[in-house]
Amino acid sequence: MDNGREASLTGRGPVNRIRRAAENGAISLFPGYFALVMATGVVSIACHFMGLRPIALALIGVNWIAWPTLWALTILRAMRFRAELVRDLSDHQRAPGFFTIVAGTCVLGTQNVVVLGARDVGTALWWLGLILWFAIMYTFFTAVTVRARKPTLKRGINGAWLIAAVSTQSVVVLRGVIDVAASPPEVIQFQVIAMFLIGCMLYLAIIPLIFYRLTFVPMSREDFSPPYWINMGAVAITALAGSILILRGETWPLLGPLLPFLRGFTFFFWAVASWWIPFLFLLMLWRYLWMRDRFTYEPAIWGMVFPLGMYTTSTYQFDRAMGYGFLDPIPEVLVYVALTAWTLGMAGLLRRVTGALRGPPVPR
């Protein structure tokens, strides 16, 4: 029997390995894996603003591979492993990750509009993101609310819950970069402003519970995982959304009366995002240096890369919206921090994917 035929029958051929890896990936697919698209998109946008256009363009290519691949795995999981998907939807730990589907879709749209000027692509992704937002937002909160047995606060909540706010503001940001020269219909202006305020509400409602858990509930070093960086990322994208609305104030009629409020509220959120950064870095130092925990790749690592890129972009736009002109050194330095974090995360992902495709060693 030839080697190709033998490999096919034993399931060790390259095609079978890819199929098996895809199915295994779909079974165990982390719902928040679309954070990879979020992180790649926002780092690309930050690079574009900082004059690193070749990198920004390369990251668009990466995202147009990652986004459909993750959709294919998600659809495969929904069709063949429905029980696992339904279980995740009411899981307080894993279910918030579904919001990354919305945020990833809208960040991809924003990336294409900002870096390539592809407004038609951005508009199509905005409508898709908006539909997904309604579906996931109300499915998630209904599922965790009616669940009969609920976890304790310690086991049930973490920074990933704030992706609900991130996804909401990602819809606002995308629409804000689509309609720059001319205003959208007033009904869309109204809806975008309302979603900005809903995103603010979600952050302000969830963050007290997370802050309480951090400061009053005993936690192990494993509890200080990358999703806690969303504490900063959620408020950074809120500041970015506010900044973009301020910049649209001259062309969007409904924004005019709200500009003083938007300026104050946006400053508040940017200041809160800035406050989180030293605290989160100190928690990382405590975990990996003081407690000597081993740093390994995990899917949630993209929940740390995204906030770094988002704060870079947010600060750049905030500085222009407020007319200060002296905050440029912050994004000029942080863009390299975000790019380094993205590179390390991608290296870890590629190593894991390569290992999955190789499969277990063939017995002799």
Side-chain angles (χ1 to χ4, degrees), residues 208-222:
L209 300 175
I210 294 174
F211 199 80
Y212 174 84
R213 185 192 179 202
L214 283 172
T215 53
F216 288 96
V217 178
M219 300 176 68
S220 65
R221 61 177 180 265
E222 291 80 11

Side-chain angles (χ1 to χ4, degrees), residues 67-109:
W67 189 72
T69 299
L70 289 170
W71 265 114
L73 289 173
T74 301
I75 293 170
L76 175 63
R77 191 176 194 228
M79 294 174 60
R80 302 192 61 176
F81 311 106
R82 191 172 304 170
E84 289 83 355
L85 182 70
V86 171
R87 185 171 63 246
D88 281 350
L89 280 171
S90 61
D91 187 297
H92 281 63
Q93 287 280 343
R94 292 174 63 87
F98 285 102
F99 284 111
T100 64
I101 301 176
V102 180
T105 299
C106 290
V107 170
L108 177 63

Side-chain angles (χ1 to χ4, degrees), residues 22 25-26 29-40 62-78 100-101 104-105 297 299 302 349 353:
L29 183 67
F30 177 57
Y33 233 131
F34 276 85
L36 164 62
V37 180
M38 295 163 54
T40 304
V62 173
N63 251 1
W64 277 115
I65 295 172
W67 189 72
T69 299
L70 289 170
W71 265 114
L73 289 173
T74 301
I75 293 170
L76 175 63
R77 191 176 194 228
T100 64
I101 301 176
T105 299
Y297 174 81
W302 300 107
L349 173 61
V353 170

